[in-house]
């Protein structure tokens, strides 16, 4: 006999519902687990393009990674492949968060600073399971 | 004594399994938790100047008081893509962008090529309760 644990959304019967979108949780379906998280802070010199920053993730495999970047003097968060302009609708770039990637040993952040002053930044990274 | 809730995948013993990939759920690991989601359509013409090009953005107030984990996808004339994204062609360049503050999610398009008529794109946003602590 197999057992399951399920919690349906309000208005749906947990005993009869079959649409996974109508469940808060259903043990028939994997949850996308966050296996690690942390922050990384550094600075990037003016007029510097595609500089990479690495830190070890300490896992025995290559995880899925996602990250968010904050240039420390601003109040906006950037996702990878984003360019922050100031003000938002202008063409004056403050910083670029080019990409984040992971390999078997490290997380690699790539940033560019097209401005005329050094920029300090903090990145929140999250490591996810690899459900393959 | 510490308690935990775990559900293993078929064929794995929940009492001894330590690989998170072999668990359906484990209270040892955090998950993304929805706060709100929705969609917004932006329509723009060459009368909508945006930097050295054209475009528009819109904002969604979340008022969480911190920087939340967010995801945005866009459906435009070329397909469906995660945002941010920059797309280029022989004579076209445009970018869908997203920023988030402690109160607001901003997203939109900057279109840096000439065109006629109007263009529309629909953004699908997901804001999670997860605090980025930045």
């Amino acid at each position: 006999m197999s057992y399951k644990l399920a919690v349906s959304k309000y208005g749906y019967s947990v005993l009869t519902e079959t649409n996974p979108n109508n469940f808060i949780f259903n043990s028939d379906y994997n949850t996308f687990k966050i296996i690690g998280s942390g922050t990384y802070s550094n600075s990037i010199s003016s007029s510097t393009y595609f500089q990479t920053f690495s830190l070890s993730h300490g896992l025995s495999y290559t995880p899925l990674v996602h990250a968010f970047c904050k240039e420390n003097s601003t109040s906006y968060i950037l996702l990878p492949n984003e360019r922050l302009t100031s003000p938002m609708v202008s063409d004056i770039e403050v910083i670029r968060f080019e990409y984040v990637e992971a390999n078997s040993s490290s997380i690699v952040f790539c940033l560019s600073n097209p401005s005329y002053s050094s920029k300090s930044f903090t990145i929140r990274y999250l490591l996810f399971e690899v459900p393959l | 004594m510490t308690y935990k809730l775990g559900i293993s995948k078929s064929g794995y013993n929940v009492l001894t399994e330590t690989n998170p990939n072999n668990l359906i759920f484990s209270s040892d690991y955090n998950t993304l938790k929805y706060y709100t989601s929705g969609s917004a359509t932006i329509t723009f013409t060459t009368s909508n100047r945006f930097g050295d090009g054209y475009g528009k953005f819109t904002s969604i107030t979340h008022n969480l008081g911190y920087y939340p984990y967010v995801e945005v996808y866009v459906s435009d004339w070329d397909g469906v893509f995660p945002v941010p994204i920059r797309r280029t062609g022989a004579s076209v360049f445009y970018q869908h962008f997203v920023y988030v503050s402690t109160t607001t999610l901003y997203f939109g398009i900057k279109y840096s090529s000439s065109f006629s008529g109007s263009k529309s794109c629909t953004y699908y946003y997901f804001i999670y309760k997860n605090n980025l602590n930045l």
Side-chain angles (χ1 to χ4, degrees), chain B residues 111-122:
Chain B
Y111 196 94
S112 300
S113 308
S114 59
F115 66 99
S116 58
S118 64
K119 288 186 174 294
S120 291
C121 37
T122 299

Side-chain angles (χ1 to χ4, degrees), chain A residues 6-7 14 16 31-32 42 47 52 58 60-61 66 73 90 92 95 100 106 111 126:
Chain A
V7 180
V14 73
T16 57
T31 52
F32 197 35
N42 210 325
S47 302
T52 57
S60 59
Y61 56 93
H66 194 25
S73 68
S90 80
I92 305 168
I95 198 167
V100 59
S106 301
L111 287 86
L126 299 100

Side-chain angles (χ1 to χ4, degrees), chain A residues 2-52:
Chain A
S2 64
Y3 296 92
K4 62 186 284 183
L5 178 63
V7 180
S8 64
K9 290 183 178 177
Y10 181 79
Y12 297 93
S13 169
V14 73
L15 299 176
T16 57
E17 185 57 39
T18 57
N19 184 344
N21 294 319
N22 295 332
F23 284 94
I24 299 293
F25 177 79
N26 188 323
S27 60
D28 283 343
Y29 303 99
N30 190 21
T31 52
F32 197 35
K33 291 173 278 295
I34 301 170
I35 58 175
S37 177
T39 58
Y40 175 85
S41 296
N42 210 325
S43 61
I44 180 170
S45 301
S46 62
S47 302
T48 302
Y49 295 87
F50 292 94
Q51 182 173 353
T52 57

